[in-house]
């Protein structure tokens, strides 16, 4: 049987034969594309996901839930010597080239509503540098400090891959070497009707969307990135999202704690701002470190206080992780069913082919998008640890066009952070009551990517820079 007939037969056997209903009306080119799409689908995976698809999600049994332990920062009661030792260990790993950076940039950024990959969104207050340039500058700075070329992996999706690569090419890779930046696309999953049928966007097109940031683990393996890491002696992967320019991508302390604990996956937490804040909660469920999504966390639990009057479940997840290469290999290769990330379903309005032969987005939700989440890997990891980060230092995501977590709030948070750094070297800017300076300026990561680096750089500078409107350090 030809490949073509074989694929069609399999779809029929799995009750998905309708995908090829319009086959004879498609052009040769459309047929090739449809076959390619079909061939990329794991039908037995879809089959198992379809079972109980329209059932209500089971609520989690939280009877054995406790707050997760985490390593406190020294200023909040943590052991300063431990932090200093971790710095040394992490720094050594960076200098030895054992660390690589990894950005997940395959999302669709629907809330931001920006025309183009989110990484190409301008975000700094003076130079309006894009998110990708900010991270490129951070990689540049990190390798300058390490004295060694460090690799950077960027996950795109088929929907934004070309544009992302072109953006880097057009900008000459922001002074990085072309061979140290590695792009690969994540997987796509077909959208499913409540009855478990694969939805068609057009006669020759299956409706497919990115398989979530958890798809990163599979994609790192499938793309050959893990194999490349092995050849290069890269053992530790610093994971961050494309929409948070504050993230400290080469944090020696974080890397050191991770390595010292023999952890396979470690995460940063920030103290939740308020009980109902929409972040995942690091918890211990049946003694296993787990992230409970805000939607799964009953408000009565989220607002519980401890003896000191703080929120009991205070550890918010900010999507900053470190993963071991071998852990990624174990989970991403899918060889062990017990170690697979689960899929989460989201009921959405999905553009589909109508009975009139036209494609349209319905007024009501009509199908499920299936996504994996990277934090679901945490319970599968050996010796996972959580360390505390300061929100003002590390977390200001660009999610929305306006209001909370928007470009405006992110620019202000960058300014507040830099004003804090300046304050610690004795430069007092005029600030409003939230710590926002009245002066618009910018500290590029190639000058300093963290407070620690800033203090060193400032000390070395002679004469000291003067901070005025639109100064760029
Ligand atoms: P979000 O969950 O904020 O989704 O992604 P998003 O697609 O960027 O934005 P919305 O929800 O459509 O508005 C958090 C991070 O995970 C990446 C995103 O690129 C972002 O860095 N991501 C998300 C992927 O890489 N792939 C995905 O399938 C989903």
């Amino acid at each position: 049987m030809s490949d073509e007939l074989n694929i069609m037969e399999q779809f029929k056997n799995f009750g998905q034969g309708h995908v090829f209903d319009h086959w004879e009306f498609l052009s040769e080119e459309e047929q090739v594309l449809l076959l390619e799409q079909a061939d990329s689908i794991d039908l037995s995976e879809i089959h198992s996901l379809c079972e109980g698809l329209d059932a209500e999600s089971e609520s989690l049994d939280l009877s054995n839930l406790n707050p997760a332990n985490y390593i406190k920062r020294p200023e909040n009661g943590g052991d300063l010597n431990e932090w200093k030792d971790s710095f040394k260990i992490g720094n050594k790993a960076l200098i030895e080239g054992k660390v690589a950076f990894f950005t997940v940039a395959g999302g669709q950024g629907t809330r931001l509503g920006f025309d183009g990959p989110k990484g190409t969104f301008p975000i700094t207050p003076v130079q309006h540098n894009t998110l990708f340039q900010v991270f490129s500058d951070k990689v540049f700075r990190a390798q300058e400090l390490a004295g060694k070329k460090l690799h950077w992996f960027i996950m795109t999706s088929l929907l934004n891959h070309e544009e992302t690569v072109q953006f880097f090419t057009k900008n000459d890779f922001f002074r990085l070497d072309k061979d140290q930046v590695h792009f690969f696309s994540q997987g796509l999953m077909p959208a499913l009707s409540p009855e478990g049928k694969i939805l068609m966007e057009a006669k020759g097109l299956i409706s497919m969307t990115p398989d979530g940031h958890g798809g990163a683990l599979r994609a790192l393996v499938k793309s050959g990135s893990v194999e490349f890491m092995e050849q290069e002696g890269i053992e530790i992967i610093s994971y961050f999202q494309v929409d948070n320019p504050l993230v400290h991508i080469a944090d020696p302390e974080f890397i050191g704690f991770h390595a010292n604990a023999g952890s396979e996956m470690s995460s940063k937490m920030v103290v939740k701002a308020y009980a109902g804040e929409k972040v995942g909660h690091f918890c211990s469920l049946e003694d296993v470190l787990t992230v409970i999504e805000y939607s799964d966390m009953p408000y009565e639990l989220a607002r519980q206080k401890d003896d000191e009057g703080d929120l009991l479940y205070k550890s918010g997840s900010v999507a900053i992780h470190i993963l071991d290469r071998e852990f990624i290999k174990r989970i991403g290769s899918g060889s062990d069913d017990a170690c697979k990330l689960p899929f989460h379903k989201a009921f959405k309005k999905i553009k589909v082919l109508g009975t009139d032969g036209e494609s349209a987005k319905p007024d009501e939700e009509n199908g499920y998008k299936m996504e994996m989440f990277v934090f679901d890997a945490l319970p599968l990891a050996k010796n996972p640890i959580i360390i505390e980060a300061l929100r003002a230092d590390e977390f200001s995501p660009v999610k929305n066009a306006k209001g909370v977590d928007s470009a405006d709030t992110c620019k202000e948070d960058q300014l507040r952070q830099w004003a804090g750094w300046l304050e610690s070297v004795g430069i007092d800017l005029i600030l409003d009551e939230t710590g926002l300076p009245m002066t618009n300026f910018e500290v590029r990561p190639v000058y300093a990517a963290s407070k620690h680096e800033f203090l060193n750089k400032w000390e070395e500078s002679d004469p000291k820079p003067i901070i005025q409107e639109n100064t760029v350090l």
Side-chain angles (χ1 to χ4, degrees):
M1 204 186 299
S2 71
D3 278 358
E4 174 184 315
L5 287 178
N6 197 5
I7 292 174
M8 289 181 181
E9 189 66 21
Q10 281 183 34
F11 270 69
K12 226 182 265 164
N13 293 343
F14 275 97
Q16 304 287 3
H18 63 283
V19 164
F20 295 99
D21 272 357
H22 303 279
W23 182 252
E24 64 260 40
F25 306 109
L26 303 179
S27 68
E28 215 169 290
E29 204 181 323
E30 287 170 329
Q31 287 183 344
V32 171
L33 281 177
L34 181 58
L35 272 181
E36 257 174 38
Q37 270 194 316
D39 199 26
S40 72
I41 295 172
D42 179 344
L43 285 166
S44 36
E45 181 171 79
I46 299 299
H47 183 71
S48 54
L49 290 176
C50 288
E51 284 166 8
L53 191 62
D54 56 351
E56 286 286 306
S57 299
E58 269 179 48
S59 58
L60 277 174
D61 177 3
L62 301 179
S63 48
N64 206 353
L65 190 75
N66 288 293
N69 290 329
Y70 68 91
I71 298 166
K72 289 186 177 160
R73 292 191 56 82
E75 58 268 49
N76 292 334
D79 180 340
L80 181 61
N81 286 331
E82 262 189 33
W83 282 78
K84 282 185 175 166
D85 290 346
S86 298
F87 185 96
K88 284 187 206 142
I89 298 168
N91 213 26
K92 186 163 174 277
L94 282 159
I95 290 167
E96 289 173 349
K98 288 188 179 160
V99 180
F101 308 112
F102 177 39
T103 310
V104 285
Q108 293 176 290
T110 26
R111 284 169 287 171
L112 185 62
F114 172 64
D115 187 18
K118 217 189 223 184
T120 66
F121 186 79
I123 197 60
T124 65
V126 179
Q127 294 201 314
H128 310 293
N129 290 336
T130 60
L131 286 157
F132 278 141
Q133 169 145 16
V134 171
F135 299 129
S136 300
D137 286 352
K138 290 191 182 202
V139 173
F140 191 87
R141 175 77 185 142
Q143 65 180 14
E144 204 173 51
L145 288 171
K148 191 177 224 111
K149 191 191 278 190
L150 298 174
H151 289 273
W152 182 19
F153 296 82
I154 300 176
M155 184 174 82
T156 61
S157 85
L158 278 181
L159 312 178
N160 66 16
H161 185 83
E162 279 311 311
E163 247 184 297
T164 303
V165 177
Q166 271 171 22
F167 184 73
F168 274 82
T169 310
K170 197 176 80 195
N171 288 287
D172 216 8
F173 285 75
F174 303 101
R175 294 193 292 159
L176 297 172
D177 284 347
K178 210 174 157 187
D179 66 3
Q180 74 183 108
V181 188
H182 311 269
F183 302 95
F184 61 92
S185 281
Q186 68 179 108
L188 298 174
M189 285 293 281
L192 301 170
S193 74
E195 298 74 38
K197 294 289 176 201
I198 291 176
L199 290 173
M200 297 301 289
E201 187 172 329
K203 286 178 182 161
L205 190 67
I206 299 171
S207 172
M208 294 185 84
T209 48
D211 59 1
H213 39 67
L217 303 189
R218 281 181 177 190
L220 278 163
V221 175
K222 206 169 160 200
S223 63
S225 307
V226 167
E227 210 179 320
F228 176 85
M229 290 171 184
E230 226 161 343
Q231 286 157 11
E232 292 292 314
I234 296 163
E235 294 173 7
I236 294 173
I237 289 84
S238 164
Y239 167 109
F240 53 94
Q241 301 193 330
V242 75
D243 50 21
N244 177 22
L246 256 54
V247 60
H248 189 6
I249 68 166
D251 181 350
E253 289 160 336
F254 189 26
I255 296 165
F257 273 116
H258 169 88
N260 206 29
S263 161
E264 286 187 318
M265 178 169 177
S266 306
S267 305
K268 281 191 176 170
M269 63 74 88
V270 299
V271 173
K272 276 177 60 186
Y274 50 94
E277 192 184 7
K278 290 184 174 180
V279 288
H281 300 73
F282 290 112
C283 297
S284 162
L285 183 61
E286 311 283 348
D287 292 328
V288 177
L289 186 60
T290 304
V291 173
I292 306 286
E293 282 184 84
Y294 64 85
S295 49
D296 287 331
M297 189 78 175
Y299 189 61
E300 308 82 71
L301 286 182
R303 70 189 179 102
Q304 262 183 31
K305 298 273 177 75
D306 62 17
D307 292 342
E308 271 119 53
D310 297 329
L311 289 175
L312 182 62
Y313 293 97
K314 58 165 90 71
S315 294
S317 171
V318 282
I320 302 173
H321 310 287
I322 288 183
L323 298 113
D324 262 17
R325 184 198 68 217
E326 286 306 295
F327 177 62
I328 295 177
K329 193 166 163 183
R330 181 155 66 85
I331 307 298
S333 60
S335 48
D336 179 353
D337 268 356
C339 284
K340 279 187 176 167
L341 298 190
F343 275 93
H344 298 255
K345 59 181 186 184
F347 204 36
K348 301 267 182 185
K349 293 175 192 166
I350 292 163
K351 189 174 173 190
V352 281
L353 176 70
T355 41
D356 56 1
E358 297 297 319
S359 302
K361 209 174 202 176
D363 296 331
E364 301 290 327
E365 285 76 9
N366 61 334
Y368 292 103
K369 281 187 178 180
M370 309 303 298
E371 285 195 335
M372 289 176 278
F373 299 149
V374 75
F375 53 73
D376 280 331
L378 209 52
L380 305 174
K382 290 186 194 121
N383 308 325
I385 54 155
I386 309 292
I387 77 161
E388 183 181 10
L390 300 178
R391 179 186 296 261
D393 278 348
E394 297 243 19
F395 187 55
S396 185
V398 186
K399 298 283 184 196
N400 304 308
K402 286 270 161 264
V404 185
D405 293 341
S406 62
D408 289 346
T409 57
C410 183
K411 279 179 198 161
E412 291 179 0
D413 286 340
Q414 292 172 65
L415 282 163
R416 283 189 193 96
Q417 183 186 47
W418 300 326
W421 293 356
L422 282 161
E423 195 190 352
S424 52
V425 293
I427 306 289
D428 287 325
L429 301 171
I430 302 172
L431 310 177
D432 75 3
E433 66 284 358
T434 70
L436 180 67
M438 297 293 106
T439 315
N440 193 42
F441 66 102
E442 185 165 327
V443 180
R444 293 185 55 198
V446 284
Y447 183 86
S450 67
K451 182 172 174 184
H452 174 81
E453 290 175 25
F454 183 83
L455 297 181
N456 289 340
K457 197 69 174 242
W458 193 267
E459 171 107 20
E460 286 164 15
S461 304
D462 186 20
K464 307 289 180 217
I466 295 170
I467 307 298
Q468 293 169 330
E469 188 68 10
N470 293 334
T471 296
V472 176
L473 292 185

